[in-house]
Amino acid sequence: ACWSGSVGGLCDHMGQKHNICKHSAARHIEGTRTFEGKWLLGFKDAFPLTREKKTLFLSIGAVDGITPSCTFVLRLWCSGIHSPFMLAVQQLERNKPGHSPQWKFTARLESPEDSLTWTSFVRDLETASDVWCSSKRKLHECVGKVMIIHQKQVEASCIEPDPRDRRGVGGQVFKMGLVFEKLVEKMDLREGASAEPPS
């Protein structure tokens, strides 16, 4: 499928027609190149979940000397009752030709007893990504880097009952912290080279 309209229109289409999308905005941390947001996710059913998918469009406003406005899409899904959750992220813009990735992304899942953090460079629109995949996609089928979260870790991070759940089936909500850091632009002078985040 191909979408030729605005990002806002795409978000509305996916939310209204497919019920899989939300839209949010990240706030700039003054004096830094960092933007923070959060993703509040609700699940109507009790764990373990058989199959689930959530999509978030996150916008960052223009900040002079740091970045023009831009948008990212995040996809969280699990493909079966014995499968973990997987998280993928992609920027809905293209990097300048010959430039390394322009953004670094960190997701943080916290529970009363522990926290789980994942950091990766953000790939641009020209790079193969799993953000548009079906919820049937297995881990070994992923084409890019994904965060792997065991369902028990998600369940342990739930913070409150989901107020939308009226069926009494254990609806729960958990919160994921999102941090985007704008990197200093630089040319990748090595032919065919790709930058990787530090381990």
Side-chain angles (χ1 to χ4, degrees):
C2 178
W3 181 265
S4 60
S6 66
V7 171
L10 176 59
C11 181
D12 291 342
H13 169 78
M14 293 182 69
Q16 296 170 9
K17 299 296 184 180
H18 304 287
N19 194 31
I20 60 171
C21 182
K22 291 185 177 181
H23 188 267
S24 184
R27 65 183 182 93
H28 177 228
I29 306 302
E30 192 70 29
T32 73
R33 301 176 66 86
T34 299
F35 300 78
E36 292 186 348
K38 66 179 181 179
W39 193 1
L40 202 63
L41 299 111
F43 299 103
K44 295 182 178 180
D45 297 319
F47 288 87
L49 302 174
T50 55
R51 184 173 294 164
E52 187 69 60
K53 61 182 176 181
K54 304 284 185 180
T55 304
L56 174 71
F57 281 77
L58 188 136
S59 298
I60 287 178
V63 177
D64 289 343
I66 298 179
T67 182
S69 59
C70 54
T71 303
F72 302 87
V73 60
L74 296 92
R75 167 65 67 89
L76 181 79
W77 80 98
C78 73
S79 57
I81 194 168
H82 298 298
S83 299
F85 277 92
M86 288 164 278
L87 174 69
V89 59
Q90 185 178 33
Q91 184 180 358
L92 293 184
E93 286 86 17
R94 294 174 175 85
N95 290 334
K96 295 178 181 178
H99 282 65
S100 298
Q102 302 299 298
W103 290 90
K104 185 169 67 175
F105 166 70
T106 298
R108 182 176 295 108
L109 180 66
E110 296 184 352
S111 69
E113 301 170 350
D114 203 355
S115 65
L116 181 66
T117 302
W118 178 66
T119 299
S120 177
F121 286 137
V122 181
R123 302 304 177 182
D124 71 349
L125 196 57
E126 294 291 346
T127 308
S129 174
D130 300 286
V131 298
W132 309 110
C133 73
S134 160
S135 60
K136 296 179 182 180
R137 178 166 294 184
K138 307 291 186 182
L139 178 59
H140 70 275
E141 298 172 327
C142 291
V143 298
K145 292 186 175 181
V146 295
M147 179 183 188
I148 303 169
I149 317 169
H150 195 281
Q151 288 204 37
K152 288 188 177 296
Q153 290 175 303
V154 175
E155 184 178 17
S157 301
C158 289
I159 56 175
E160 61 185 65
D162 187 342
R164 297 170 298 175
D165 174 34
R166 296 182 174 86
R167 299 182 298 157
V169 293
Q172 300 173 84
V173 172
F174 79 95
K175 181 174 65 174
M176 180 176 288
L178 311 172
V179 178
F180 288 85
E181 180 186 352
K182 183 65 163 61
L183 304 175
V184 177
E185 291 190 15
K186 59 182 180 180
M187 292 288 294
D188 188 349
L189 300 178
R190 297 171 299 157
E191 184 177 356
S194 62
E196 297 295 337
S199 58

